[in-house]
């Protein structure tokens, strides 16, 4: 297998990422969140409109993860105003998990953070997402805090904040 991770630059590719995000979120989060919350969060954070706005106004970058040309995952990230880099999204298609690809994806995140002159990478992860928490710990992240975020329409995100010092 040949994995390539490239920055998403064009509208058709971002539309492809939005389609994959919709599939992964509805497949993965059913055991953690209600269907209504998944629909709401996909529209608010991962729809084509939402990601376009993040890229244009919030300094986000999205990266496409391809295996032999096929889109199998994506990463979202952005530099903060301080010395931190925010890993916002790290997602792989279910049939492509468990092969070490997340480590390659994280390597790319760290490279982008260094390029931006940052010293720390942080992320938020749902407290019940045991696998992701274990992967992040294995890679070297530590839980530094937890936070409950009101995202509107009666929904909240109940997350750990994890951080890695570069
Ligand atoms: C989170 C996600 C991207 C991780 O990808 P993955 O393919 O499952 O993880 P990998 O197989 O690449 O594992 C990464 C590293 O963690 C290690 N690891 C995996 N599971 C582990 C566990 N339960 N305990 C300890 N280490 C573990 C692997 O050995 C690997 O380390 P290595 O490269 O040094 O061998 C993927 O599971 C996913 O998309 N999940 C659904 C969406 C999600 O939860 N996204 C994150 C939201 S915050």
């Amino acid at each position: 297998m040949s994995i390539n991770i490239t920055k998403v630059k064009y509208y058709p590719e971002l539309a492809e990422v939005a389609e994959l995000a919709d599939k992964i979120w509805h497949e993965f989060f059913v055991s953690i969140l209600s269907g209504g919350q998944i629909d709401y969060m996909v529209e608010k954070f991962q729809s084509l409109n939402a990601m376009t706005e993040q890229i244009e106004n919030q300094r986000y970058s999205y990266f496409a993860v391809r295996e032999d040309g096929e889109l199998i995952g994506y990463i979202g990230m952005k530099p903060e105003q301080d010395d931190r880099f925010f890993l916002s999204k790290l997602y792989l298609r279910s049939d492509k998990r468990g092969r070490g690809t997340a480590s390659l994806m994280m390597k790319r995140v760290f490279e982008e953070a260094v390029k931006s002159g940052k010293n720390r990478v942080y992320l938020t992860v749902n407290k019940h997402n045991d696998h992701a928490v274990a992967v992040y710990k294995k890679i070297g992240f530590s839980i530094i805090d937890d936070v409950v975020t009101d995202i509107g329409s009666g929904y909240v995100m109940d997350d750990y904040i994890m951080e890695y010092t570069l």
Side-chain angles (χ1 to χ4, degrees):
M1 71 170 178
S2 157
I3 303 280
N4 279 300
I5 302 175
T6 54
K7 188 166 179 172
V8 176
K9 290 190 179 133
Y10 304 106
Y11 169 87
E13 192 177 26
L14 193 60
E16 205 188 342
V17 169
E19 202 179 312
L20 179 65
D22 191 328
K23 280 197 190 113
I24 295 177
W25 278 58
H26 282 93
E27 162 264 318
F28 180 73
F29 283 112
V30 282
S31 60
I32 298 179
L33 304 172
S34 69
Q37 179 156 357
I38 297 170
D39 290 344
Y40 179 77
M41 289 182 73
V42 167
E43 184 55 35
K44 190 176 174 76
F45 300 118
Q46 298 287 258
S47 62
L48 182 57
N49 279 346
M51 290 193 285
T52 302
E53 197 278 329
Q54 291 160 6
I55 290 169
E56 288 179 353
N57 303 320
Q58 299 180 46
R59 305 178 78 199
Y60 271 77
S61 302
Y62 277 90
F63 287 74
V65 182
R66 292 185 182 277
E67 181 180 13
D68 301 326
E70 187 189 359
L71 186 68
I72 63 162
Y74 67 98
I75 320 172
M77 55 185 96
K78 70 165 186 166
E80 295 290 4
Q81 299 292 348
D82 57 15
D83 70 333
R84 293 173 308 153
F85 196 77
F86 180 42
L87 169 55
S88 172
K89 306 284 179 302
L90 191 85
Y91 287 86
L92 272 176
R93 224 170 65 188
S94 58
D95 59 326
K96 302 294 179 183
R97 293 175 200 152
R99 307 178 307 164
T101 307
S103 298
L104 296 177
M105 292 159 76
M106 198 62 87
K107 185 166 170 275
R108 182 57 181 267
V109 173
F110 293 163
E111 285 167 7
E112 294 299 319
V114 168
K115 261 196 244 170
S116 300
K118 303 301 181 187
N119 301 317
R120 293 180 284 158
V121 176
Y122 80 100
L123 58 85
T124 57
V125 55
N126 187 289
K127 281 182 189 165
H128 304 290
N129 192 346
D130 298 334
H131 178 67
V133 170
V135 165
Y136 296 144
K137 280 186 178 163
K138 168 71 181 7
I139 289 171
F141 281 80
S142 309
I143 294 172
I144 57 162
D145 208 347
D146 49 48
V147 60
V148 177
T149 309
D150 184 342
I151 55 171
S153 293
Y155 297 121
V156 295
M157 296 195 305
D158 188 11
D159 292 334
Y160 289 127
I161 301 176
M162 300 186 75
E163 190 172 270
Y164 179 93
T165 303
L166 289 160

